[in-house]
Amino acid sequence: MKNLRDFTYEELLEEVRELGEKPYRAEQIYGWVYRKCAASIDSMTDVSKALRERLKESYTIEGPNVLEVKTSFDGTKKFLSELSDGSRIESVLIPEGDRLTLCVSSQAGCALGCRFCMTGLSGFTRNLTLSELNGQVFAAKGLLGEGEAITNIVLMGMGEPLNNYDNVLRFVSILTDGKGFGFSHNKVTVSTAGLVPGIRRLGAEANINLAVSLNATTDEVRDRIMPINKKYPLDELLDALRGYPHNGKKHVTIEYVMLANVNDSVEDARRLARLLRGIPCKINLIPFNPFPGSRYQAPDNQRVSTFSKVLQDSGYFAIVRASKGADIQAACGQLKGRYEELEAGEEGAG
Ligand code: SAH
Ligand code: SF4
């Protein structure tokens, strides 16, 4: 069985052609799947009964199974989904003023092994398929209250999106397609640990926002906390950022996870200001979110505000990302970890 959520518009056209149907059928089905969020082929009422029956012989509409939803006191909702092979991924819905951002995972696990990241420390399983990527959007829509709508999508959950480049790009095409989910290009952001060839390719092939997890101001520190830096060191990464198209208004987002006594000094802040000179960007400072067994600490508030003040005084737009959903362990990879701990505990007790 094939899943109708596993096709972009062009791919669906091809499927429909192979079935010997008229091209407008593809548009109809695509609209049902993505715009109207059809949960079954039977619900596609303006598709002829005969075609629906034919479709049902080879196609289904399916998404990952949501195992658990946690809601924080600040409104952040985090959900854990199980994929067909038993892998688990998580996604987070974050309300902020009049925005509602969905943070999507791109892989089960991550191969890049950043030392401060729970996902990175637990290893890589596999890339998510298109239906597993867009399944997170469908699942999130199911959690929305009356009158609520997702306004922004960030690929900033588990995994490295640029290591699942093809599926991520297919997903982006559906997200930004008026006949698909219909998000504006500037409401979609891909976050990367700094895969230079992927950044260049994305700049040439998609018209979306880029966020980069910089997290250090010297190769020595970055090599240590983000092993990918040995392959794509800072000067190459910054060069790729300089080349990222910004159409006059788009800014690259620089993410900087602050680790106490590792990358949080005033010298680091000054170096960061120097490194980013000439790159249109805004800077998100993210105090480290600890998890069981993590070896780092978050800097104290004073150090964080000194760091951000140095950047602001150098003319940058820098904000401290308040830790959203701290009470539900909303940092990268944490719900999955907690869930598995709980299951292990239950098995132990039983
Ligand atoms: N692989 C991509 C996107 C997923 S990681 C990337 O690295 O950009 C999403 C963000 O979470 C990254 O900016 C990463 O630096 C940050 N992050 C990971 N673990 C964290 C932790 N324990 N505390 C705070 N931020 C963390
Ligand atoms: Fe992977 Fe991003 Fe975590 Fe690094 S921070 S291990 S790239 S998910």
Side-chain angles (χ1 to χ4, degrees):
M1 279 289 189
K2 299 191 239 181
N3 187 345
L4 285 177
R5 291 181 180 172
D6 270 320
F7 301 100
T8 62
Y9 180 62
E10 286 72 25
E11 292 162 356
L12 203 56
L13 260 176
E14 193 49 42
E15 293 292 308
V16 163
R17 200 169 291 138
E18 275 168 27
L19 288 172
E21 294 287 335
K22 298 248 162 52
Y24 81 93
R25 291 295 191 193
E27 190 163 339
Q28 244 181 344
I29 298 168
Y30 186 79
W32 274 108
V33 172
Y34 296 113
R35 278 232 73 90
K36 299 183 205 157
C37 301
S40 71
I41 291 171
D42 277 326
S43 66
M44 303 180 174
T45 45
D46 58 1
V47 175
S48 72
K49 184 98 199 314
L51 178 55
R52 273 185 275 155
E53 291 307 320
R54 273 190 77 199
L55 286 174
K56 274 158 53 184
E57 286 166 17
S58 322
Y59 300 89
T60 57
I61 299 181
E62 271 174 279
N65 212 358
V66 176
L67 289 180
E68 188 183 359
V69 183
K70 302 219 104 193
T71 306
S72 164
F73 65 87
D74 64 20
T76 301
K77 280 195 184 116
K78 176 150 175 148
F79 56 98
L80 179 75
S81 311
E82 185 164 59
L83 312 181
S84 54
D85 64 352
S87 301
R88 284 158 185 180
I89 54 160
E90 55 191 31
S91 327
V92 194
L93 260 174
I94 309 153
E96 259 176 316
D98 52 10
R99 291 199 305 193
L100 184 56
T101 302
L102 175 64
C103 177
V104 170
S105 289
S106 56
Q107 301 182 307
C110 182
L112 296 188
C114 302
R115 300 283 180 263
F116 50 83
C117 173
M118 193 160 172
T119 306
L121 291 176
S122 51
F124 176 66
T125 307
R126 65 172 174 85
N127 280 332
L128 299 193
T129 63
L130 181 60
S131 58
E132 291 164 347
L133 290 166
N134 63 39
Q136 297 171 70
V137 180
F138 290 116
K141 282 176 180 260
L143 300 176
L144 298 179
E146 189 70 25
E148 276 186 324
I150 300 167
T151 60
N152 297 65
I153 303 270
V154 296
L155 280 100
M156 219 176 259
M158 300 165 71
E160 167 54 47
L162 298 184
N163 265 343
N164 186 10
Y165 188 93
D166 292 342
N167 288 341
V168 163
L169 216 67
R170 291 164 74 220
F171 178 45
V172 166
S173 86
I174 292 168
L175 286 172
T176 58
D177 183 351
K179 298 194 296 290
F181 288 119
F183 289 95
S184 142
H185 285 266
N186 57 25
K187 301 291 183 195
V188 178
T189 304
V190 163
S191 174
T192 177
L195 301 188
V196 168
I199 292 173
R200 296 198 194 279
R201 220 181 131 189
L202 192 75
E205 296 177 354
N207 177 26
I208 52 171
N209 299 310
L210 180 71
V212 172
S213 302
L214 203 66
N215 300 345
T217 62
T218 63
D219 281 321
E220 191 257 316
V221 172
R222 201 164 191 270
D223 280 352
R224 200 151 31 95
I225 63 174
M226 301 181 75
I228 190 65
N229 193 66
K230 292 181 195 142
K231 198 158 175 197
Y232 305 113
L234 277 171
D235 59 343
E236 284 180 35
L237 175 55
L238 294 165
D239 196 51
L241 299 190
R242 270 185 215 101
Y244 197 79
H246 51 81
N247 310 334
K249 67 173 191 188
K250 274 204 184 72
H251 291 89
V252 172
T253 301
I254 301 295
E255 294 159 277
Y256 195 95
V257 177
M258 297 190 68
L259 310 169
N261 304 315
V262 174
N263 64 2
D264 65 337
S265 68
V266 169
E267 294 73 55
D268 279 303
R270 293 204 183 110
R271 244 188 326 260
L272 184 58
R274 244 190 344 262
L275 289 177
L276 295 176
R277 195 113 293 149
I279 301 176
C281 65
K282 56 178 193 218
I283 305 167
N284 281 348
L285 300 173
I286 315 162
F288 174 67
N289 223 319
F291 50 87
S294 59
R295 66 174 89 177
Y296 301 106
Q297 269 104 47
D300 60 44
N301 293 343
Q302 184 55 48
R303 245 170 124 84
V304 176
S305 58
T306 305
F307 197 98
S308 78
K309 180 143 195 319
V310 170
L311 293 170
Q312 282 158 1
D313 289 348
S314 313
Y316 290 95
F317 181 75
I319 53 167
V320 179
R321 278 256 156 243
S323 192
K324 284 274 172 181
D327 57 323
I328 55 166
Q329 295 165 303
C332 189
Q334 292 188 5
L335 181 67
K336 179 174 173 283
R338 205 199 55 80
Y339 192 88
E340 277 159 11
E341 236 167 61
L342 204 92
E343 278 194 330
E346 278 165 5
E347 272 162 30

